[in-house]
Amino acid sequence: MRIQFLEIAQIELDEAIEYYNYETPGLGEEFLTEVLKTLIRIAEFPEAWRPCSQRTRRCQTRRFPYGIIYQILEDKILVIAVANLHRKPVFWMDRIK
């Protein structure tokens, strides 16, 4: 299944990569690898993770404190947020339709 990011979710991903690379060189790339593995799991088993709302689900990364918030649409997975789960847990709620 095709995966598409909301523009704000892509910005969140890019900022997290930049932050981790600033903290430790190379850690941002490790974070990106973990996010990509999480997206593969979502694409393979889109309904396997816990619902956050009627149409929205969250899959946590294994190594970093992030969740991929997404919706299953007819022809794609729409990533709503790349959420740091140590921050406000529902900051992304105004993005869902």
Side-chain angles (χ1 to χ4, degrees):
M1 189 170 278
R2 184 169 66 98
I3 296 177
Q4 178 182 346
F5 280 71
L6 286 181
E7 184 176 346
I8 189 69
Q10 183 64 54
I11 291 169
E12 289 165 349
L13 175 60
D14 294 342
E15 287 177 352
I17 293 167
E18 185 177 320
Y19 167 78
Y20 280 119
N21 274 331
Y22 176 78
E23 289 296 310
T24 304
L27 190 58
E29 285 76 22
E30 292 178 35
F31 173 72
L32 177 58
T33 298
E34 182 64 30
V35 168
L36 293 174
K37 288 177 183 178
T38 303
L39 292 171
I40 290 168
R41 289 196 319 268
I42 291 169
E44 288 177 356
F45 308 102
E47 295 184 17
W49 286 274
R50 183 185 100 159
C52 297
S53 71
Q54 186 175 4
R55 294 179 20 168
T56 307
R57 294 177 179 269
R58 181 183 80 193
C59 181
Q60 288 184 244
T61 60
R62 291 187 173 148
R63 182 173 167 204
F64 295 87
Y66 276 78
I68 307 300
I69 314 299
Y70 66 97
Q71 292 181 339
I72 305 166
L73 304 179
E74 288 181 25
D75 61 339
K76 64 186 169 191
I77 302 288
L78 180 62
V79 176
I80 304 296
V82 178
N84 183 325
L85 301 176
H86 289 175
R87 290 193 290 174
K88 297 177 186 173
V90 292
F91 72 92
W92 49 268
M93 289 294 282
D94 62 337
R95 299 178 192 173
I96 61 176
K97 298 172 184 162

